[in-house]
Amino acid sequence: MEAKVILKQDLAAWIDALVKQYEVIAPVTEDGVVVFRPVSGLSEMAIEGMVGPAKSLREHFTPPTETLFDYKLEDLSAEVIPPENEERHRVIFGARACDAAALLYVDAVYSNVEPIDTAYFMRREKTYLVGLFCDKPAWSCFCTEVGDFLTNPVAMDVYLTDLGNRYYAEPLTPKGEELIGLGNFRPADENDKAANEEIRRKALERLPKRAEHETACLSYDWDHPVWIELAKKCLSCGACAFLCPTCHCFDIQEHPKLKKGSRYRCWDTCQFEKFTLMASGHNPRETRKERTRQRVFHKFKYSQERYCMLGCVGCGRCIAACPVNIDIRKVLEELEKTAVAK
Amino acid sequence: MRQKAKELLESGEVKVVIGYGQGSAPFKSTPIFIEKPEDAHKLIWNPTCVNNLTVYLRDACRQGKAAIVVKPCDARSIIELIRENQIERDDVVILAMSCPGVLNLDALAEIDLADVKSVEWHQNGIAIKTNAGETIIPSEKAFASKCLSCELAESPIADEKFGEPIERHPIRSKYADIEELEKMLPEERRAYWARQFARCIRCYACRSVCPGCYCKECFTDKPCQLWVLRSTDVESNWFFHFSRAMHTAGRCIACGECERVCPMGIPLMRLNQKMRKEVREMFGEEAGTNPEAPPTLGTFDLKKDPDPCSE
Ligand code: SF4
Ligand code: SF4
Ligand code: SF4
Ligand code: SF4
Ligand code: SF4
């Protein structure tokens, strides 16, 4: 598909055209934090020089709290009211390549066993992604270490690169071509292509090289001393998991009232002590040692064994957010040092 | 400080020294737990030492005597832990640093963090070295906001002090933010907090990092309870935050950790400072100042405050 270019002065009109047909979700700055929210036009968006969005796209596919059904009790009968499928077709504008790649992993998880997660896939099907190339990866980014999706994007419909006064746009699907059709684009010329290449090269210079975590992870040590070290400082909060675009664990909770109520699911994480607490009182991951190991093993080892893909897209959010500077890159380094030595 | 840590471990006086080690980037430190005297050189002390390490103290003291590196503000948590009977004074060796202020990472927004080589104190603030050269970030920008209103020349409790006391000239009122909130109309204030709490993802980093939040089981974690729903709607989030503010009232020492770690940028210190101000006005007390005083909200004096029901 042919790459196109749109001048920044024409961007607002393109967004307006998108907003007419779709719900457009884009990064906005609220009290200094970048979050993805429905917007009504370019003026609300924080696309220009966007720093790392605090949250991934996760909440738009599996909301932090999602009603499964409401119910009403009438004498001895119960009426179950399913949630409304209110969602329009949506465009997520300005998605990061890592966050898009994470969707492929979550797809694999939620479709692995029957029944598949219908609420999630309904949102997936109704959502189109306009991605934005990261021209200035953050100190915590290491996406290129776990994949090549930064330059070969996945799960997107259009991929934009900021060329200064214009955006370079690659349509990646027929839907992407259709979205581009709504704006004042012209075909990209040799100049645009060279500028695009240059920006990519510069960004890649800032990032680490591809590492073979896929093979290394198979010999990660269950009893490695690093787990004891991490357990000492980890606080068992959920910051790392709740910001992670591939984390997908939830809990099912009840909100009963006298004659009605609802059942909902909400985010949960293996970092919380009660996550694996069983009714018997037994907790297989009782200490922080088991819990920190679970997060790393799940991202790297189990995901590789189960879905033949890594469960980490290198977005670096867990690194930047961890209150005690637990850096998953360093953990892997430790694990792989001894794996190689063995 | 390293020398002292080494001696304490060599003599067997303490089992562990809790301190700061080099983090995974030049602008990050990380908590470390030194158990062998030969590892004492790993301890660092610079503007990146932001964490309040006393959050680890309760567990550490359960294993034996522990030494801990503290800033003057963090030391107030030790006073609270002692007066709330969470640790014994004799179970801890306090290595108190004199502290010009710690780094506010947001101040580096214009600097390319990937390019930072070192972060050091400078007489006018903090000096950041990058490949492009050295930049001095002036104090009012470089330091965490709690440092700009800090009145502690030195640690209020200590066994060993390192460095000279610091002359303090607070350039910011510690109630600056809440004064602004207090001026709002009630409905404006409600809208303000609703917007803030709507962002909360209930990761509980704020609670987990708080040295005052030491309950074995937090009210939010009861598996079969409905004290507070786990749903992240504004009402439930609101309830969580107000309950926490009530639970830490009279105990919060304003270390600012909860606000620092919140990944959603929720200004939790505005709640905490408001509670501190109320407690000061109602009881004339400030948490973290006197280890001998009984806990502010944990004591009830029938003589001072007679119970009308018993009459
Ligand atoms: S584990 Fe960390 S770096 Fe990897 S995808 Fe999750 S948040 Fe991003
Ligand atoms: S790392 Fe933990 S919270 Fe994340 S998906 Fe795996 S088990 Fe769930
Ligand atoms: S964010 Fe850090 S402290 Fe919190 S659970 Fe994750 S690794 Fe532990
Ligand atoms: S750290 Fe922030 S987002 Fe997490 S629970 Fe606390 S206030 Fe909410
Ligand atoms: S509530 Fe916040 S400021 Fe107060 S002691 Fe706890 S972490 Fe520190």
Side-chain angles (χ1 to χ4, degrees):
Chain A
M1 278 174 247
E2 193 194 7
K4 301 249 168 89
V5 162
I6 186 169
L7 291 176
K8 282 194 178 166
Q9 68 211 44
D10 292 332
L11 192 62
W14 184 35
I15 305 286
D16 288 344
L18 292 173
V19 168
K20 275 207 191 99
Q21 286 190 26
Y22 304 96
E23 180 181 42
V24 175
I25 295 169
V28 301
T29 311
E30 184 183 291
D31 299 299
V33 188
V34 180
V35 286
F36 279 86
R37 286 278 161 78
V39 295
S40 57
L42 180 65
S43 60
E44 292 166 35
M45 293 165 41
I47 281 285
E48 195 65 33
M50 175 170 67
V51 286
K55 287 201 251 181
S56 69
L57 304 178
R58 178 182 179 190
E59 64 179 327
H60 296 290
F61 295 95
T62 50
T65 305
E66 181 178 10
T67 302
L68 300 173
F69 58 81
D70 293 313
Y71 54 83
K72 269 195 216 147
L73 301 175
E74 210 62 69
D75 295 327
L76 286 176
S77 68
E79 187 194 345
V80 171
I81 310 149
E84 280 170 39
N85 290 346
E86 80 299 331
E87 263 123 307
R88 287 167 68 191
H89 285 255
R90 315 178 294 181
V91 168
I92 298 185
F93 199 97
R96 291 300 197 197
C98 52
D99 292 342
L103 293 173
L104 291 191
Y105 174 74
V106 184
D107 288 352
V109 176
Y110 284 162
S111 62
N112 184 40
V113 281
E114 292 286 339
I116 66 160
D117 195 310
T118 45
Y120 170 81
F121 283 105
M122 179 198 69
R123 295 193 187 95
R124 279 286 276 136
E125 271 158 33
K126 287 185 172 176
T127 309
Y128 310 111
L129 255 56
V130 177
L132 181 63
F133 181 78
C134 305
D135 43 23
K136 211 152 196 215
W139 68 277
S140 44
C141 292
F142 63 107
C143 54
T144 44
E145 197 177 309
V146 290
D148 66 348
F149 48 80
L150 181 63
T151 41
N152 293 302
V154 292
M156 282 186 198
D157 296 284
V158 180
Y159 200 25
L160 300 177
T161 307
D162 188 339
L163 299 186
N165 65 344
R166 61 205 192 279
Y167 283 101
Y168 189 82
E170 291 163 87
L172 301 164
T173 60
K175 188 71 200 180
E177 294 222 295
E178 198 186 311
L179 295 178
I180 283 183
L182 296 173
N184 185 19
F185 285 82
R186 63 163 169 83
D189 60 26
E190 287 313 311
N191 252 339
D192 303 321
K193 284 183 186 154
N196 183 48
E197 284 309 312
E198 180 59 13
I199 283 176
R200 294 202 168 183
R201 193 187 56 76
K202 278 209 185 118
L204 287 176
E205 255 174 27
R206 292 169 60 93
L207 287 159
K209 301 238 156 2
R210 185 80 169 89
E212 290 307 317
H213 294 305
E214 286 90 339
T215 39
C217 70
L218 300 174
S219 53
Y220 284 177
D221 187 356
W222 179 258
D223 292 315
H224 199 286
V226 74
W227 308 125
I228 297 171
E229 285 311 306
L230 295 183
K232 283 184 193 159
K233 54 179 153 182
C234 174
L235 300 166
S236 279
C237 66
C240 51
F242 280 8
L243 295 182
C244 177
T246 62
C247 273
H248 49 267
C249 287
F250 57 81
D251 187 20
I252 293 181
Q253 293 262 329
E254 203 82 25
H255 185 197
K257 293 177 191 157
L258 199 53
K259 291 219 150 211
K260 59 181 184 180
S262 62
R263 183 170 296 174
Y264 62 95
R265 61 174 171 180
C266 56
W267 292 357
D268 201 356
T269 161
C270 59
Q271 300 306 290
F272 289 160
E273 188 181 342
K274 297 272 162 65
F275 183 74
T276 42
L277 181 66
M278 298 178 185
S280 65
H282 175 61
N283 190 346
R285 292 192 210 121
E286 202 169 6
T287 74
R288 289 173 178 176
K289 177 180 158 201
E290 292 92 44
R291 300 201 286 273
T292 49
R293 176 172 57 204
Q294 164 63 17
R295 187 169 73 91
V296 180
F297 266 40
H298 195 185
K299 299 282 167 223
F300 286 85
K301 194 167 192 288
Y302 308 148
S303 55
Q304 176 67 7
E305 289 166 354
R306 250 177 254 167
Y307 316 115
C308 297
M309 60 206 289
L310 294 177
C312 168
V313 293
C315 73
R317 284 191 184 86
C318 59
I319 300 170
C322 177
V324 300
N325 185 236
I326 287 178
D327 188 324
I328 198 163
R329 295 170 297 189
K330 300 283 168 203
V331 181
L332 297 178
E333 229 173 82
E334 285 299 314
L335 289 170
E336 288 174 19
K337 239 189 258 165
T338 51
V340 172
K342 256 185 198 170
Chain B
M1 179 257 291
R2 287 180 185 145
Q3 186 55 35
K4 183 68 199 175
K6 191 162 171 244
E7 284 164 23
L8 286 167
L9 288 163
E10 262 163 3
S11 69
E13 188 180 345
V14 301
K15 278 189 80 171
V16 62
V17 178
I18 308 171
Y20 303 95
Q22 181 55 53
S24 70
F27 46 88
K28 286 273 185 189
S29 69
T30 188
I32 51 169
F33 303 81
I34 307 279
E35 284 165 13
K36 297 189 208 113
E38 63 270 27
D39 287 340
H41 69 276
K42 292 185 184 161
L43 291 163
I44 62 163
W45 176 241
N46 64 36
T48 69
C49 298
V50 291
N51 293 53
N52 179 349
L53 301 174
T54 62
V55 68
Y56 299 114
L57 202 53
R58 227 175 127 262
D59 283 346
C61 289
R62 298 253 177 307
Q63 315 285 319
K65 195 164 177 168
I68 187 164
V69 178
V70 289
K71 303 188 282 292
C73 55
D74 306 338
R76 294 173 305 177
S77 308
I78 303 183
I79 294 180
E80 275 316 295
L81 290 169
I82 293 171
R83 78 166 181 156
E84 291 171 25
N85 286 327
Q86 295 307 311
I87 57 168
E88 300 279 346
R89 177 66 184 91
D90 294 341
D91 282 347
V92 53
V93 178
I94 304 166
L95 308 178
M97 311 305 292
S98 84
C99 169
V102 289
L103 177 68
N104 163 21
L105 203 50
D106 294 337
L108 305 189
E110 298 98 78
I111 292 183
D112 184 356
L113 288 179
D115 201 26
V116 171
K117 294 280 164 290
S118 73
V119 177
E120 273 156 31
W121 276 302
H122 180 273
Q123 59 193 25
N124 299 324
I126 291 180
I128 312 283
K129 280 207 187 86
T130 64
N131 283 333
E134 193 179 61
T135 316
I136 312 294
I137 317 246
S139 312
E140 61 275 18
K141 206 175 154 205
F143 293 135
S145 84
K146 66 170 175 181
C147 304
L148 303 180
S149 57
C150 181
E151 290 160 355
L152 300 165
E154 54 186 347
S155 178
I157 185 170
D159 292 301
E160 296 279 340
K161 290 188 177 172
F162 302 92
E164 294 299 311
I166 306 259
E167 239 181 88
R168 294 288 180 192
H169 308 284
I171 57 171
R172 192 172 188 279
S173 151
K174 52 184 161 180
Y175 302 126
D177 296 329
I178 58 168
E179 275 155 13
E180 180 194 319
L181 275 174
E182 281 169 343
K183 280 193 211 119
M184 289 183 182
L185 296 170
E187 52 273 28
E188 287 171 345
R189 210 155 43 228
R190 192 171 301 129
Y192 172 84
W193 283 114
R195 187 178 80 228
Q196 303 297 338
F197 294 149
R199 279 203 307 277
C200 174
I201 52 175
R202 297 278 282 281
C203 65
Y204 300 129
C206 50
R207 176 202 65 189
S208 307
V209 81
C210 175
C213 278
Y214 52 68
C215 289
K216 194 164 179 336
E217 189 175 44
C218 180
F219 73 101
T220 58
D221 284 350
K222 299 248 182 230
C224 304
Q225 51 75 25
L226 285 175
W227 287 117
V228 53
L229 294 179
R230 284 188 58 183
S231 57
T232 47
D233 49 86
V234 177
E235 292 76 29
S236 304
N237 289 350
W238 195 294
F239 189 82
F240 162 58
H241 286 292
F242 273 60
S243 304
R244 203 178 88 84
M246 291 298 166
H247 287 190
T248 52
R251 309 163 51 227
C252 164
I253 53 89
C255 63
E257 280 290 87
C258 47
E259 182 171 303
R260 173 182 73 87
V261 303
C262 175
M264 291 298 118
I266 300 172
L268 295 166
M269 284 308 285
R270 297 180 183 201
L271 274 185
N272 299 334
Q273 290 292 25
K274 174 72 179 161
M275 296 310 286
R276 279 173 64 84
K277 194 169 164 222
E278 294 291 321
V279 168
R280 203 189 53 176
E281 282 165 10
M282 291 170 85
F283 304 96
E285 285 195 16
E286 270 197 273
T289 46
N290 181 5
E292 306 297 330
T296 312
L297 296 184
T299 15
F300 192 71
D301 185 346
L302 275 176
K303 278 190 231 97
K304 253 169 67 189
D305 207 357
D307 176 5
C309 306
S310 65
E311 276 164 14

